Amino acid sequence: MDNVEPAAEKPQAKRPNNRNKRLYEPLPMVRQPAILPRIGHLLDHINRLLHRTNPLSSYLPRITRLIHSLWSASTQPFKRLFYALTPSNLFWPTLVPAKIQATIHIIRSEQEIVDCFVWVPTEWALLWQKGAFGKGILSRSEPTWLPRFTRGQSTAASGKYLEDITRQRRGERQAARETETKESALGLALIPIPSLPVTLEEAQVMEPMQLSFHESLFLCQLGCLQVRDPQGTEYSYEALWRLFCKVDRSSEFALKHAAYYYYRSKGWVVRSGLKFGSDFLLYAKGPAHSHAQYSVLVRHSSQELPVTDNTSEEEEQQPQAIESWQFMLSLSRVTSQVRKTLVLCYIDPPAATDNQSAHDLSPSDLTQYQVREFVVQRFNANRM
Amino acid sequence: YHEVASVCTLHPSRARALFQVYLDLKYGQRLNVTDTPVLRDIEFPVVLVAGSNDLKPQAFVPVYADEKLNMSKLSTILKSANDIPHIRSASSGVSVHLAIVESDSTIAYYKIGSDVVSPSEGVAK
């Protein structure tokens, strides 16, 4: 994706009618997630048909899963043979995937693990093209720091990369303002470096791609990612799960990963929603193709509604909602101003895990989680 | 990493946030990063970026996206930031930038301050 030009505005796709729609749908098995083969194949079409996440299919979940599992098991040897004869990851990354090598860096404090992060140093192009996984540590999304550095860009933006377009637009907005103070924009208040003290050899390895915890787990479960630490020790899916649950500071890692898995398995490209005040952003194809359509806030199902004056005593004894309506409405405002739709995703974990910590959860328990979605949109009666 | 290794070794729980904010500010945003002092009372390493002309340096405090910050911690951050000689302010207010770091290296910057904007300043802006 070398040429990133501002996309022409396209008519917005028709949004699904989510009124009165509550999906009590267990997490689907691995369907054929975001990494889809570019060239269609008869087996893939049949797989999609059997495992389609149409709401009507929820009426026959067990039968469809059984048929899918039998079909997958019977066709697996043929798929593996086919893939073994073809170059790696051209057509079937999800079935017999290429093993992308990733390095996990673990930070310890007095022999206790306190943090970690996952880097993909060289083979990130495939992850980015097939599902928009990961983010360059020196870029906004796709790792583009090296070509920008070697290009020697320091003056006017050429409009070639996403960062150049952003810088150009900001410059135009600043130039159009009539009154400008020195400290109103971060870029004007701080001294930029004219040239970086980096050699060309160092620049080649300056920007790996970093995967989030959810992406690492998801790809590892698919078999697309092989995670090792610098000493060469390989980390399995279960080991990564325990590690990420341990270093997570929010105690909601399992909930958020359940939501991540849910939306990925539906075919959405799921990215971090940090910059918009939410947990996830949902893209149809990826950040390089279009803006995100939905902004997802993930919460435990016990935190559905804020307490009001009419709340009964029993309801008050339940875990209280963290957010007030004021917070929800402000988030809805921010989301609508960036042309996204706010989705509240309530996760209902299995009852057996209520007294367990996140460390004790087994990754297979994810299939027992239930998901409910609500779309929040502001209605302005004056604009009828 | 070697540029911030000493600070990261002393504060391993803040190492990832500090390292990624340092990388982003110096090599991503190409700002003039001058120092990485540590806030005294709260033991938070921060990144100092040189300001232009007569403007004092700006302090960037790396925090984690899944980390819960309460008002007490924010107050301590602002108070400790005022103790840094380079950004000590003669006025009552001090401001720092929170650099909120996600696990995929996404960083969101927010400026927080302890001073109150008077109506005249708000109109001028």
Side-chain angles (χ1 to χ4, degrees):
Chain A
M1 293 293 297
D2 289 338
N3 294 320
V4 179
E5 299 294 336
E9 285 193 2
K10 296 180 182 176
Q12 198 169 11
K14 189 178 178 183
R15 295 174 182 175
N17 185 6
N18 290 323
R19 288 185 192 172
N20 302 322
K21 182 179 175 183
R22 300 179 74 182
L23 301 176
Y24 286 87
E25 197 175 310
L27 284 176
M29 300 299 288
V30 177
R31 176 174 75 105
Q32 288 300 341
I35 309 178
L36 294 176
R38 187 173 293 176
I39 298 179
H41 192 276
L42 177 63
L43 293 177
D44 180 56
H45 286 307
I46 295 175
N47 276 336
R48 283 189 215 167
L49 202 64
L50 291 176
H51 214 63
R52 188 174 54 190
T53 54
N54 188 301
L56 292 176
S57 68
S58 62
Y59 292 105
L60 299 173
R62 294 182 182 177
I63 297 176
T64 54
R65 279 201 293 270
L66 178 63
I67 294 174
H68 181 264
S69 61
L70 290 174
W71 181 260
S72 295
S74 61
T75 56
Q76 196 71 10
F78 299 101
K79 295 171 192 172
R80 288 190 178 272
L81 178 64
F82 170 77
Y83 193 71
L85 299 176
T86 58
S88 60
N89 196 40
L90 279 185
F91 305 117
W92 285 103
T94 57
L95 297 180
V96 188
K99 292 280 187 182
I100 307 292
Q101 301 296 320
T103 306
I104 183 168
H105 298 270
I106 297 176
I107 302 168
R108 290 182 168 87
S109 171
E110 297 175 351
Q111 305 304 321
E112 185 185 350
I113 296 174
V114 293
D115 210 342
C116 63
F117 53 93
V118 180
W119 278 358
V120 181
T122 52
E123 298 172 321
W124 51 262
L126 192 63
L127 291 178
W128 177 255
Q129 290 165 11
K130 302 291 184 184
F133 291 94
K135 175 192 168 295
I137 64 172
L138 299 176
S139 305
R140 286 188 63 186
S141 52
E142 181 186 5
T144 57
W145 184 84
L146 179 59
R148 287 185 286 122
F149 173 77
T150 54
R151 185 184 61 184
Q153 61 94 28
S154 59
T155 55
S158 67
K160 189 175 182 182
Y161 296 105
L162 190 62
E163 288 79 5
D164 302 325
I165 297 171
T166 304
R167 190 177 297 112
Q168 184 179 359
R169 286 177 178 170
R170 282 178 186 162
E172 289 170 358
R173 285 196 295 266
Q174 288 170 4
R177 288 176 190 163
E178 292 184 355
T179 56
E180 186 75 29
T181 61
K182 283 186 180 179
E183 293 185 356
S184 63
L186 183 65
L188 293 178
L190 303 170
I191 300 177
I193 303 176
S195 62
L196 289 172
V198 177
T199 65
L200 197 56
E201 289 73 24
E202 291 172 337
Q204 301 288 337
V205 294
M206 273 291 289
E207 190 182 31
M209 170 180 274
Q210 183 160 337
L211 297 175
S212 69
F213 295 163
H214 303 300
E215 290 171 335
S216 305
L217 275 178
F218 184 78
L219 290 170
C220 193
Q221 188 179 12
L222 287 180
C224 299
L225 196 70
Q226 198 167 44
V227 181
R228 296 176 188 269
D229 63 7
Q231 288 74 36
T233 305
E234 184 174 349
Y235 282 74
S236 64
Y237 174 72
E238 289 74 19
L240 284 178
W241 174 268
R242 286 192 297 271
L243 178 61
F244 294 152
C245 285
K246 184 175 182 180
V247 301
D248 181 68
R249 295 165 183 82
S250 64
S251 305
E252 293 177 345
F253 180 77
L255 291 181
K256 294 193 178 168
H257 188 66
Y260 180 90
Y261 190 98
Y262 175 74
Y263 288 108
R264 272 289 184 183
S265 62
K266 281 187 171 289
W268 290 103
V269 173
V270 186
R271 305 280 296 172
S272 168
L274 177 68
K275 294 188 177 180
F276 297 97
S278 62
D279 292 310
F280 298 119
L281 295 178
L282 302 185
Y283 294 82
K285 292 184 181 179
H289 296 268
S290 60
H291 292 290
Q293 291 178 255
Y294 296 98
S295 179
V296 180
L297 198 65
V298 180
R299 290 295 180 266
H300 194 283
S301 62
S302 62
Q303 299 167 358
E304 286 190 28
L305 290 173
V307 176
T308 62
D309 292 337
N310 298 326
T311 307
S312 64
E313 288 184 6
E314 286 183 5
E315 289 173 349
E316 282 189 8
Q317 290 173 359
Q318 298 296 325
Q320 300 298 322
I322 293 179
E323 285 88 27
S324 62
W325 278 118
Q326 190 175 14
F327 171 81
M328 298 304 298
L329 294 176
S330 64
L331 182 59
S332 174
R333 271 279 198 173
V334 168
T335 307
S336 64
Q337 283 179 352
V338 293
R339 297 187 181 179
K340 295 174 189 11
T341 304
L342 179 63
V343 175
L344 304 181
C345 180
Y346 290 102
I347 306 291
D348 196 4
T353 62
D354 283 347
N355 296 325
Q356 287 177 304
S357 66
H359 303 70
D360 301 328
L361 287 173
S362 165
S364 61
D365 290 334
L366 272 182
T367 58
Q368 304 302 318
Y369 282 67
Q370 294 198 349
V371 180
R372 277 185 292 170
E373 300 168 293
F374 299 92
V375 175
V376 178
Q377 284 179 301
R378 183 170 177 263
F379 172 73
N380 191 346
N382 294 330
R383 293 189 178 182
M384 284 291 292
Chain B
Y1 175 73
H2 63 274
E3 298 174 14
V4 293
S6 58
V7 182
C8 289
T9 305
L10 291 174
H11 305 276
S13 61
R14 317 301 308 178
R16 177 171 69 89
L18 173 68
F19 177 49
Q20 299 205 304
V21 171
Y22 181 88
L23 277 181
D24 184 62
L25 290 175
K26 183 167 182 179
Y27 296 100
Q29 308 296 332
R30 297 198 175 194
L31 298 176
N32 189 7
V33 177
T34 56
D35 196 10
T36 53
V38 179
L39 297 181
R40 212 177 339 171
D41 297 329
I42 202 171
E43 298 298 321
F44 271 26
V46 302
V47 180
L48 282 187
V49 176
S52 59
N53 299 331
D54 297 330
L55 297 174
K56 57 179 187 259
Q58 306 284 329
F60 289 78
V61 182
V63 295
Y64 297 103
D66 52 3
E67 180 179 14
K68 288 182 169 46
L69 285 182
N70 51 27
M71 293 308 301
S72 169
K73 260 189 187 174
L74 277 179
S75 301
T76 309
I77 288 173
L78 288 170
K79 182 187 167 193
S80 303
N82 200 30
D83 293 336
I84 297 176
H86 302 292
I87 65 171
R88 181 172 298 141
S89 173
S91 63
S92 59
V94 64
S95 65
V96 297
H97 294 87
L98 286 185
I100 305 169
V101 183
E102 183 66 87
S103 62
D104 66 345
S105 76
T106 301
I107 301 177
Y109 296 98
Y110 283 95
K111 186 173 181 179
I112 60 168
S114 61
D115 49 351
V116 177
V117 178
S118 66
S120 57
E121 291 174 7
V123 169
K125 288 185 178 176

